[in-house]
Amino acid sequence: MAPAFNLDAYLARSKAIDLSAIAWSEVPHHPVPAEAIRTLRYMQDIESHTIIYLRSLLATRAIDDPEVAAFLACWLYEETFHGIGLARFLEAAGHPQPPRTVPRGQESLSQRLEAGLIARVSRAWPDFCAVHMTWGAINELTTLTGYRRLVAVANHPVLTDLLERIMLDESRHFFFYYRQAEIRLARRSVAWIARLLVDRFWAPVGTGVQPRSERDFMAAYLFSGDDGRAAARRVDETIRRLPGFAAVRLLEHWIDRSSGARAGRRGRVHGYRHA
Ligand SMILES: [Fe+2]
Ligand SMILES: [Fe+2]
């Protein structure tokens, strides 16, 4: 069992990452791989999307619990500054983030239907918060792991400094969600429904917000190779320790499927060319 999360200490300490402490002028003096720029664009967009995600959450029972509501206020503030920090890095590296092609919040019909379904499930099921907390734990841990992998593969000193500051926030976010999930999933009936919903609906952070090609590119850049695979496996192993989530198939399984699908698409293209 994870140790207790000190919410009062978190709320008292919550603050934006200190952007004035980053050596922005040093950014162009070190090479940034093109793959890292493309990955950072994805991550920046997702961090900036947090407020839209919150809008969907507010239609659920997420804010019925005063502790969760207090946490979410600080969480949103911190996440917003992650987006600002990543945008600043991209600009300093000579790759400012272009305007979005699809205005933020204009989700596709299927996404709106899915959000509507989640809202209805939430209204009908008083323990919905257990799913929200589990979902949050998976996404925060995936994000944290993604940043850790980016530090390793991009090997840029200023990016490392920025991401280490962001990762401190992400690890606190993860800890809050995980501890809450652990408590709320202790009831077997709750864990059973939560597991059903995660099995049915979970997809990596950013699915539906960014094009699939960008999501798959990022996954291949960060999670291929032995170290990447091991990092993805550790995410899944951690979530499997939650009540009712033994043997759940998340990041590693998704990477297997998406790399298999990519290989399949390449095969089809190859076949057409020689048909
Ligand atoms: Fe973040
Ligand atoms: Fe976070």
Side-chain angles (χ1 to χ4, degrees):
M1 183 185 282
F5 181 89
N6 188 336
L7 183 64
D8 289 338
Y10 169 73
L11 298 177
R13 259 189 277 128
S14 172
K15 59 182 186 324
I17 49 166
D18 184 2
L19 297 178
S20 67
I22 309 278
W24 301 110
S25 60
E26 282 294 306
V27 172
H29 297 145
H30 307 271
V32 191
E35 295 88 347
I37 294 291
R38 192 167 162 186
T39 298
L40 280 164
R41 286 196 192 291
Y42 182 96
M43 290 170 152
Q44 196 281 333
D45 190 66
I46 302 313
E47 292 281 11
S48 306
H49 197 79
T50 307
I51 194 154
I52 306 293
Y53 176 62
L54 185 70
R55 187 177 63 182
S56 311
L57 268 183
L58 295 181
T60 70
R61 291 174 179 264
I63 53 165
D64 287 359
D65 182 302
E67 286 195 355
V68 173
F71 167 79
L72 286 177
C74 294
W75 167 80
L76 174 66
Y77 179 60
E78 293 176 358
E79 298 290 14
T80 302
F81 273 85
H82 298 170
I84 293 171
L86 295 180
R88 181 108 185 247
F89 182 88
L90 282 165
E91 201 177 328
H95 298 273
Q97 186 77 312
R100 297 186 104 242
T101 45
V102 179
R104 213 170 275 294
Q106 290 190 9
E107 298 92 350
S108 67
L109 180 65
S110 65
Q111 284 172 274
R112 275 181 281 142
L113 285 175
E114 201 159 291
L117 175 71
I118 297 284
R120 280 200 300 281
V121 170
S122 145
R123 278 193 290 275
W125 185 39
D127 291 305
F128 175 79
C129 206
V131 180
H132 171 209
M133 295 296 111
T134 308
W135 203 272
I138 300 168
N139 285 356
E140 293 288 349
L141 186 56
T142 308
T143 306
L144 174 61
T145 305
Y147 285 140
R148 200 174 282 138
R149 289 291 305 144
L150 185 56
V151 164
V153 294
N155 194 25
H156 185 290
V158 184
L159 183 62
T160 298
D161 183 23
L162 173 65
L163 292 181
E164 278 175 352
R165 292 164 193 267
I166 292 178
M167 284 190 291
L168 265 180
D169 288 348
E170 307 296 19
S171 61
R172 281 194 284 262
H173 299 167
F174 163 70
F175 188 26
F176 174 83
Y177 282 117
Y178 192 84
R179 183 67 188 122
Q180 285 283 329
E182 201 173 41
I183 294 165
R184 290 162 193 271
L185 295 172
R187 275 171 48 218
R188 282 177 69 174
S189 58
V190 174
W192 190 81
I193 301 174
R195 172 72 188 269
L196 204 73
L197 290 171
V198 168
D199 281 349
R200 168 69 186 81
F201 290 108
W202 182 81
V205 191
T207 300
V209 175
Q210 276 275 305
R212 191 168 136 178
S213 58
E214 297 311 294
R215 185 195 64 184
D216 291 354
F217 175 85
M218 182 191 68
Y221 182 50
L222 297 181
F223 294 111
S224 50
D226 290 348
D227 291 349
R229 294 292 299 211
R233 193 168 307 135
R234 278 195 297 275
V235 169
D236 294 1
E237 284 167 359
T238 303
I239 301 302
R240 284 181 190 137
R241 289 199 283 273
L242 284 172
F245 278 72
V248 70
R249 297 200 299 180
L250 295 167
L251 194 56
E252 192 180 17
H253 177 63
W254 178 84
I255 288 166
D256 277 345
R257 276 188 316 173
S258 86
S259 55
R262 261 200 319 278
R265 282 197 295 278
R266 272 200 302 275
R268 279 201 299 281
V269 170
H270 190 76
Y272 285 139
R273 216 169 29 216
H274 292 273

